[in-house]
């Protein structure tokens, strides 16, 4: 029988190797931050199972574009099965992997404590200073404009509220990042999200003032 710490170490090794090969290292630092945030939220909230939270945070992106194998549930069941993890824990980790994302998950269905916590942690990492850095890094990778003033922003006359395919990285804030604060599941998540949200709002404000300076 492996200890929980041995299982965490082996899962960490597996995920670190899998994301490094396909994401030049950036994927792993995101995973590490999500694990730390999820454990912190779990501690503040005092609900959910800690081992499940940590495993699910480590494996929340398994199967997505950063990974070579795109069947997340099959990968998780194979690895956790080999490590002798309890079946109910494994199925909860699979449930979180399948329902965590903005697009895949339904916000209407009831969520387990563990899903609520890991989802808040993943969403928080898309917000604030780190979220801004990640957005422009992703935009650069996709060769997107920083900002395209020809495409209106939501709230401006004649512009519908959201387009799935952000016209520029600044548009991604209005399409997704500024909506995350209201999607927090836990009180701790909301507390952390408030500060990160306000920082993004000041960033956008300053960005627009500089963009139009002298005009
Ligand atoms: P995660 O790795 O947290 O599951 P994604 O792979 O969907 O999330 O996105 C990685 C990062 O890239 C996130 O910070 C997200 O906000 C950002 N991102 C995703 N789509 C866009 C886009 N169209 N423009 C700018 N940033 C984006
Ligand atoms: Ni993620």
């Amino acid at each position: 029988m492996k200890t929980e710490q041995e299982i965490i170490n082996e899962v960490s090794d597996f995920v670190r190797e899998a994301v490094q090969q396909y994401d030049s290292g950036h994927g792993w630092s995101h995973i590490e931050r999500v694990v730390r945030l999820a454990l912190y939220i779990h501690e503040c909230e005092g609900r959910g199972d800690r081992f499940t939270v940590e495993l699910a945070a480590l494996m929340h992106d398994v199967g997505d574009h950063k990974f070579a194998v795109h069947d997340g549930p099959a990968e998780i069941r194979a690895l956790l099965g080999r490590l002798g993890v309890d079946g109910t824990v494994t199925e909860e980790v699979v449930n979180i992997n399948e329902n965590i994302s903005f697009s895949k998950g339904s916000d209407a269905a009831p969520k387990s404590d563990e899903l609520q916590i890991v989802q808040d942690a993943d969403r928080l990492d898309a917000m604030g200073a780190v979220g801004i850095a990640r957005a422009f890094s992703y935009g650069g990778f996709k060769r997107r404009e920083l900002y395209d003033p020809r495409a209106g922003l939501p709230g401006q006359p004649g512009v519908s509220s959201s387009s799935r395919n952000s016209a520029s990285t600044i548009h991604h804030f209005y399409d997704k990042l500024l909506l995350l604060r209201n999607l927090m599941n836990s009180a701790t998540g909301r507390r952390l999200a408030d500060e990160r949200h306000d920082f993004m709002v000041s960033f956008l404000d300053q960005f627009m003032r500089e963009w139009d300076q002298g005009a």
Side-chain angles (χ1 to χ4, degrees):
M1 266 291 277
K2 288 181 191 294
T3 64
E4 290 191 350
Q5 194 53 56
E6 285 167 344
I7 293 167
I8 295 291
N9 292 344
E10 293 201 27
V11 171
S12 298
D13 289 346
F14 167 85
V15 174
R16 192 189 303 113
E17 244 159 68
V19 296
Q20 251 159 22
Q21 202 176 342
Y22 295 93
D23 202 51
S24 58
H26 295 109
W28 177 244
S29 70
H30 164 65
I31 306 292
E32 283 188 303
R33 289 189 303 272
V34 172
V35 169
R36 275 196 297 272
L37 272 169
L39 291 176
Y40 173 76
I41 294 169
H42 168 261
E43 189 137 336
C44 294
E45 291 285 306
R47 58 193 170 99
D49 171 58
R50 189 182 194 279
F51 181 53
T52 306
V53 165
E54 187 163 8
L55 278 182
L58 278 168
M59 303 190 91
H60 80 273
D61 277 338
V62 168
D64 89 353
H65 56 93
K66 298 197 259 316
F67 288 78
V69 178
H70 296 297
D71 187 342
E75 284 272 284
I76 291 169
R77 289 190 181 107
L79 178 62
L80 297 188
R82 233 183 308 122
L83 296 173
V85 173
D86 179 87
T88 51
V89 171
T90 299
E91 286 316 302
E92 186 52 39
V93 174
V94 167
N95 171 52
I96 292 171
N97 175 271
E98 285 184 307
N99 291 293
I100 192 166
S101 86
F102 203 66
S103 46
K104 276 188 290 180
S106 153
D107 267 306
K111 298 174 193 170
S112 66
D113 286 331
E114 293 84 0
L115 171 57
Q116 294 185 28
I117 289 168
V118 180
Q119 189 171 56
D120 280 2
D122 191 37
R123 287 174 170 171
L124 282 164
D125 202 52
M127 303 176 69
V130 167
I132 293 168
R134 292 181 75 211
F136 286 99
S137 163
Y138 182 98
F141 174 69
K142 291 278 180 184
R143 307 183 135 272
R144 295 251 164 77
E145 291 282 1
L146 300 178
Y147 174 43
D148 182 357
R150 289 167 304 176
L153 292 168
Q156 291 177 348
V159 178
S160 71
S161 66
S162 169
S163 60
R164 271 301 92 208
N165 221 338
S166 306
S168 71
T169 301
I170 288 292
H171 282 80
H172 184 63
F173 287 80
Y174 295 89
D175 293 341
K176 178 175 163 190
L177 306 182
L178 293 174
L179 311 180
L180 296 174
R181 176 184 28 196
N182 289 332
L183 297 177
M184 286 292 134
N185 301 301
S186 67
T188 308
R190 263 188 301 282
R191 170 167 67 77
L192 300 175
D194 279 345
E195 190 193 348
R196 292 179 187 225
H197 182 90
D198 292 347
F199 187 80
M200 292 192 293
V201 171
S202 350
F203 167 79
L204 290 166
D205 198 50
Q206 172 82 9
F207 185 96
M208 292 307 172
R209 269 187 285 131
E210 292 179 13
W211 189 275
D212 292 326
Q213 212 149 50

